Amino acid sequence: MPALWIAHVTVTDEEAYGRYAALAGPAIAAHGGRFVARGGRFVQLEGKERPRNVVARFDSVEAAEACYHSAEYQEALDHARGASERELMIVETSE
């Protein structure tokens, strides 16, 4: 089943987070992920608001999780740590 990688982010260091984004996009694509939403307009109805929301679609939960644990994504993530506050989850879709 396909899966969605959903991130809610508050960027605290634009420069460092820019380095993360430059590396994360290719790492996600290399694992079959494609962006469905990336920092677009949103309406917060409940819970903690984060100004940046990203959704990527993968072929499976396993593919999304493999991407997260890959050396390429972990290299990117080194730039996001300390440069953002974020929540990240993988959700299997019903499609």
Side-chain angles (χ1 to χ4, degrees), residues 23-91:
L23 295 170
I28 289 168
H31 287 86
R34 80 174 168 78
F35 291 103
V36 177
R38 199 172 188 185
R41 198 169 78 120
F42 71 97
V43 175
Q44 183 74 31
L45 298 175
E46 294 185 19
K48 182 173 177 67
E49 182 173 316
R50 299 278 187 196
R52 182 168 176 79
N53 300 281
V54 178
V55 179
R57 187 177 190 280
F58 286 83
D59 289 338
S60 66
V61 168
E62 293 78 15
E65 193 172 4
C67 177
Y68 180 84
H69 293 293
S70 71
E72 301 89 350
Y73 187 76
Q74 289 298 307
E75 179 184 353
L77 195 54
D78 283 344
H79 296 285
R81 292 186 179 109
S84 62
E85 297 170 5
R86 47 190 253 148
E87 289 84 35
L88 176 64
M89 70 184 76
I90 299 167
V91 179

